[in-house]
Amino acid sequence: MMKYFILCFFILMASSGVLRAEAVTFEALVNTPRVSMDEVMQLTLTVTGTNDNLDPINLPLIDGFTAKYLGPTTSVSIVNGDYHSEKSLMYNLFPNKVGRFQIPAISITLSGQAY
């Protein structure tokens, strides 16, 4: 009887963690909306809610900039049973001409789902 209770307890705990998992989101941010020719803009691509390993994303051509991959960062927290993960890929964008430019849409595919 006790073994059955312990088994049920672990199954309940494992399934409750799955139910409390957060939704996957993908976000792109820059550290500044303007940059001069002698400065660098940092682009951060952040994915939350996944345990998948992230490989560097091949950025689309960004008119007016040259991109250089800096590396990943990872953050995981569990508070009162709520699991939160955040993985970021960081890039430096070096301006190579003067003007107004827009970073094109960037997508990532995780477990067959595009974001």
Side-chain angles (χ1 to χ4, degrees):
M1 180 69 176
M2 185 64 166
K3 288 181 184 179
Y4 177 75
F5 174 75
I6 292 172
L7 178 63
C8 289
F9 175 76
F10 282 113
I11 291 172
L12 179 63
M13 291 302 291
S15 65
S16 68
V18 171
L19 294 175
R20 297 176 95 175
E22 63 185 313
V24 175
T25 62
F26 177 56
E27 179 179 58
L29 295 171
V30 292
N31 64 331
T32 181
R34 295 179 182 185
V35 64
S36 65
M37 290 297 291
D38 61 342
E39 295 178 331
V40 176
M41 179 182 288
Q42 190 170 42
L43 171 66
T44 304
L45 306 177
T46 302
V47 178
T48 59
T50 184
N51 287 327
D52 291 355
N53 288 328
L54 296 180
D55 292 325
I57 296 171
N58 290 326
L59 295 177
L61 289 178
I62 303 173
D63 186 29
F65 292 93
T66 301
K68 180 181 177 190
Y69 178 64
L70 295 176
T73 63
T74 301
S75 169
V76 175
S77 66
I78 301 171
V79 178
N80 294 330
D82 290 330
Y83 177 85
H84 177 78
S85 68
E86 183 174 288
K87 299 177 183 188
S88 298
L89 303 172
M90 300 172 73
Y91 299 82
N92 272 346
L93 301 180
F94 299 91
N96 52 31
K97 59 183 175 180
V98 176
R100 293 180 68 97
F101 304 102
Q102 182 174 343
I103 297 173
I106 300 170
S107 64
I108 188 171
T109 302
L110 297 169
S111 302
Q113 177 74 29
Y115 297 91

